[in-house]
Amino acid sequence: MDFAQKVLSYLIEQGVLTKEAAEEIRQTAINSNSPIIDILKKQRLVDEEKILQAKANALNVPFISLNSMGISPEILSLVPEPVARKNKVIPFDFDKRTQKLSVAMIDPLNLPLIEFLEQKSGKPITPYLAKEEEIIQKIDEEYAQGLAIEVSEAIKETTAGTIRTIQAENIGQIIKEAPIAKIVTTVLEYALKGRASDIHIEPQETKTRVRYRIDGVLHEKLALPRAVHEAVLSRIKILSGMKIDEKRLPQDGRFNFKMGMEEVDLRVSTLPTTYGEKVTMRLLRKTGGIPALAELGMTGTALKNLEYAITRPHGMILVTGPTGSGKTTTLYSVLSRLNTINVNIITLEDPIEYEIAGLNQVQVNPQAGLTFASGMRAFLRQDPNIILVGEVRDRETTSLAVQAALTGHLVFSTLHTNNAATSIPRLLDLGAEPFLIVSVLNAIEAQRIVRRICTACKKEIASDSIIREDIKKTMGKLLPENMSQIPLYRGTGCKQCNNTGYLGRIGIFEAMIVSQQVGRMIFARASAEEIENQAVEEGMITLKQDGYLKALSGITTIEEVKRVAQE
């Protein structure tokens, strides 16, 4: 079987091409005397990564995607940056058992280059095929980290085996000077530059990987030697005010970090795992202020329904969605709008994520006996107009929140449910009576967060018949009948968006008003599906519909909406 036939056979096996399409491409290649890879790229019938996978399969070499991979500075030091940049290669893994160095290349059959790299690194090379753009991007990213020297110094310090006597009054200065402090600072600075919302430092058998959640998706950007894990962990624990010698139990802490004009509050959590303690840090930006509802992406019916609900002087408004869907940000946005000199607003949170002037914010402290339930009882003696209780999670809190809403207070809270309608069965499950739910519930808002298409590399793409049918079925009456061509958009990937095609995030929303008819259905204990159908009949736009509207407007992609809102 020749090279072209191997490539096409692989793509047929993977379900990327039909046999008919593959035969047509083969004939085109023969007639034009062009390489099969060039034809595939020109016709754009197959994703470039799939083409490279097929090429690697035909050449009998492994393929590697470098996009979400962190590389240890120890491995990078085996191939100097000038050599990597000139030859478009990057080392990414080292097997200590076999002593083999894995290197990503654009031409894994270039034997003189492989021999040169073996001489330079002193290790046998295992070549991998990778995308040229990804190799160049990784060279820019990884060699620019500047961690190699600090890590090398840290390894020497942590493995020297010498016992040092440290004076208590000098401990602060020693921690600041240590190379470990530089590593932690670099990890934090990268998070701020990369717009990360979370940092995960995870010990594994042979390394410690550092992953960043950027625009809602985790990316591995750095790998540290296993030897420095304990030192890095201790540094973070000291900054967070945790116990350094407690390694068996989870701990929580927080500290502030400032880079230039930007300041973040880091919420830190440790967790004992098989290979040591894992650290997760949530970054809460202090600069930039609280965004308005429209800035979050709330428009049309959802915005109108929520604005109507918050203007009422009493009742309950619920914001629902999974962890990390932006519920707290939406609630802060609403409270900032209601925050005037004439109202008393009290919040009960776990933890307090943003401090807002004018609000009385209370942190839950179960060890001291301050729970959501006990806090709610105390709140009612504080003459509040508006109450925010972080989460309705048990029968007692639910009962107190309902009672507060019945006695003339406007109550906001969150629930972990998939959409607005499924919140009703959840409230019933938490012991709320149907007639009380109907009496107090003003609105339920559900939300998710999707990634925005990068405006620098956005381009219009043709939609296939399957996607068009899906859009028509989902949108129903919201889509004009005479719309034969449905335009969609995608980011091709550029330096600005780190070759992901996405830059920034935006919310998709649905807001359900408890109308008279919906109220009757709640009273009759109708199913969530029946309640949702009634709300849609009354004009509610569902989460998926709102997402598709944003995709048709070129704000996000259909794939993103399906990722977060597929039923």
Side-chain angles (χ1 to χ4, degrees):
M1 194 185 290
D2 66 3
F3 176 76
Q5 195 57 49
K6 281 182 181 178
V7 169
L8 293 173
S9 296
Y10 177 85
L11 294 173
I12 292 166
E13 282 170 26
Q14 296 295 309
V16 179
L17 280 181
T18 62
K19 286 182 180 178
E20 294 76 19
E23 181 56 33
E24 200 175 307
I25 289 165
R26 195 175 72 84
Q27 288 299 330
T28 305
I30 292 167
N31 295 337
S32 61
N33 198 26
S34 302
I36 200 84
I37 300 292
D38 291 354
I39 300 291
L40 286 165
K41 285 180 179 177
K42 190 177 179 182
Q43 294 198 3
R44 293 184 181 179
L45 292 172
V46 182
D47 179 66
E48 190 182 347
E49 190 164 303
K50 284 289 181 194
I51 295 172
L52 284 178
Q53 285 173 5
K55 182 181 176 182
N57 179 70
L59 296 173
N60 202 26
V61 295
F63 172 81
I64 185 73
S65 175
L66 299 168
N67 254 343
S68 57
M69 181 183 290
I71 303 172
S72 166
E74 281 183 307
I75 294 168
L76 289 172
S77 64
L78 294 172
V79 177
E81 183 182 353
V83 173
R85 201 171 285 282
K86 183 184 176 184
N87 297 289
K88 294 180 182 174
V89 299
I90 189 163
F92 64 88
D93 196 18
F94 178 62
D95 190 325
K96 288 183 178 176
R97 188 177 56 83
T98 62
Q99 290 290 299
K100 285 188 176 180
L101 181 66
S102 297
V103 179
M105 313 171 70
I106 56 173
D107 183 6
L109 299 184
N110 187 338
L111 296 179
L113 176 57
I114 292 169
E115 284 177 19
F116 172 69
L117 292 172
E118 286 180 337
Q119 288 173 359
K120 205 75 183 167
S121 64
K123 310 288 179 190
I125 300 292
T126 303
Y128 281 72
L129 178 66
K131 284 171 80 171
E132 185 176 347
E133 304 83 50
E134 284 186 13
I135 292 172
I136 294 165
Q137 182 193 342
K138 270 292 172 210
I139 291 168
D140 290 341
E141 274 181 15
E142 299 295 340
Y143 285 103
Q145 293 280 354
L147 278 177
I149 296 166
E150 287 82 0
V151 169
S152 300
E153 287 178 25
I155 292 166
K156 284 174 192 170
E157 277 197 20
T158 53
T159 57
T162 54
I163 297 168
R164 298 172 65 194
T165 304
I166 299 167
Q167 297 295 327
E169 60 269 20
N170 297 335
I171 186 79
Q173 190 57 38
I174 289 164
I175 290 164
K176 286 177 190 171
E177 289 171 357
I180 294 296
K182 175 64 178 170
I183 293 172
V184 174
T185 303
T186 308
V187 166
L188 295 175
E189 284 177 350
Y190 188 93
L192 260 70
K193 288 174 189 169
R195 303 173 298 103
S197 61
D198 300 83
I199 307 168
H200 295 250
I201 301 174
E202 302 163 315
Q204 296 183 317
E205 192 173 3
T206 58
K207 65 175 183 177
T208 290
R209 71 176 180 183
V210 182
R211 294 194 292 171
Y212 296 90
R213 191 174 293 281
I214 300 168
D215 291 337
V217 178
L218 278 172
H219 300 272
E220 186 179 337
K221 292 291 185 184
L222 179 66
L224 297 172
R226 189 71 180 81
V228 301
H229 179 77
E230 291 301 323
V232 168
L233 187 74
S234 296
R235 167 73 177 160
I236 293 167
K237 280 184 173 181
I238 288 166
L239 291 171
S240 311
M242 297 182 197
K243 295 176 183 174
I244 302 177
D245 57 345
E246 180 55 81
K247 298 179 181 182
R248 298 166 301 166
L249 297 172
Q251 292 188 73
D252 293 304
R254 65 195 305 167
F255 67 94
N256 286 355
F257 180 75
K258 194 169 185 180
M259 185 180 77
M261 296 299 291
E262 197 167 2
E263 188 177 0
V264 289
D265 181 15
L266 288 112
R267 230 168 61 200
V268 186
S269 169
T270 66
L271 183 73
T273 68
T274 310
Y275 297 112
E277 287 180 279
K278 174 186 187 297
V279 184
T280 303
M281 294 185 271
R282 165 67 56 89
L283 281 75
L284 304 166
R285 280 166 172 75
K286 289 191 164 187
T287 46
I290 306 295
L293 290 171
E295 290 174 313
L296 294 173
M298 197 178 290
T299 55
T301 309
L303 183 60
K304 187 180 75 178
N305 286 352
L306 191 61
E307 283 182 334
Y308 167 73
I310 65 176
T311 55
R312 298 175 70 179
H314 52 80
M316 184 188 282
I317 294 164
L318 293 174
V319 176
T320 77
T323 304
S325 59
K327 299 187 295 294
T328 307
T329 306
T330 299
L331 285 171
Y332 280 145
S333 180
V334 170
L335 291 183
S336 296
R337 186 166 173 172
L338 298 173
N339 186 18
T340 66
I341 199 78
N342 305 314
V343 292
N344 178 20
I345 302 176
I346 307 181
T347 77
L348 185 61
E349 304 169 62
D350 184 21
I352 296 168
E353 293 197 9
Y354 297 96
E355 293 172 11
I356 304 174
L359 266 61
N360 302 289
Q361 294 174 272
V362 179
Q363 166 83 48
V364 169
N365 188 350
Q367 286 83 10
L370 179 54
T371 62
F372 281 122
S374 63
M376 279 293 290
R377 282 195 211 91
F379 278 14
L380 296 174
R381 297 190 290 272
Q382 287 287 323
D383 184 32
N385 299 102
I386 298 168
I387 296 171
L388 163 66
V389 54
E391 187 185 343
V392 175
R393 60 172 69 159
D394 54 45
R395 285 173 173 261
E396 195 176 4
T397 311
T398 306
S399 174
L400 288 164
V402 169
Q403 290 302 319
L406 279 170
T407 52
H409 305 94
L410 187 60
V411 179
F412 292 92
S413 192
T414 69
L415 264 181
H416 286 93
T417 57
N418 290 331
N419 57 29
T422 51
S423 302
I424 305 299
R426 179 73 182 128
L427 286 174
L428 292 169
D429 186 48
L430 288 168
E433 293 292 339
F435 69 92
L436 289 178
I437 295 173
V438 174
S439 302
V440 302
L441 202 55
N442 293 352
I444 307 170
E445 183 260 303
Q447 63 184 71
R448 299 286 190 280
I449 298 179
V450 293
R451 291 181 289 174
R452 283 178 176 268
I453 296 172
C454 172
T455 52
C457 60
K458 182 168 82 171
K459 68 166 188 176
E460 189 174 326
I461 58 165
S463 55
D464 62 38
S465 58
I466 297 169
I467 291 174
R468 282 198 298 273
E469 283 308 309
D470 178 38
I471 292 170
K472 286 173 183 174
K473 184 181 174 183
T474 302
M475 300 304 290
K477 296 173 185 175
L478 294 172
L479 201 68
E481 287 182 18
N482 58 355
M483 201 171 186
S484 55
Q485 287 299 316
I486 299 175
L488 291 174
Y489 303 86
R490 181 170 286 129
T492 55
C494 63
K495 198 168 186 179
Q496 202 166 319
C497 63
N498 212 7
N499 275 333
T500 59
Y502 297 99
L503 188 65
R505 295 195 288 171
I506 193 166
I508 59 173
F509 304 87
E510 69 179 26
M512 186 177 86
I513 292 290
V514 181
S515 64
Q516 283 188 345
Q517 186 56 38
V518 169
R520 287 192 200 100
M521 294 177 81
I522 294 169
F523 196 74
R525 292 181 181 264
S527 69
E529 190 180 354
E530 290 170 322
I531 291 169
E532 183 176 36
N533 290 339
Q534 178 59 35
V536 169
E537 194 71 30
E538 292 175 7
M540 182 183 84
I541 292 173
T542 66
L543 271 173
K544 198 173 178 184
Q545 286 175 336
D546 188 44
Y548 277 24
L549 283 170
K550 287 182 170 74
L552 293 170
S553 303
I555 297 168
T556 188
T557 62
I558 294 288
E559 291 79 12
E560 266 300 286
V561 179
K562 285 184 174 181
R563 180 176 68 86
V564 301
Q566 184 75 300
E567 290 90 357

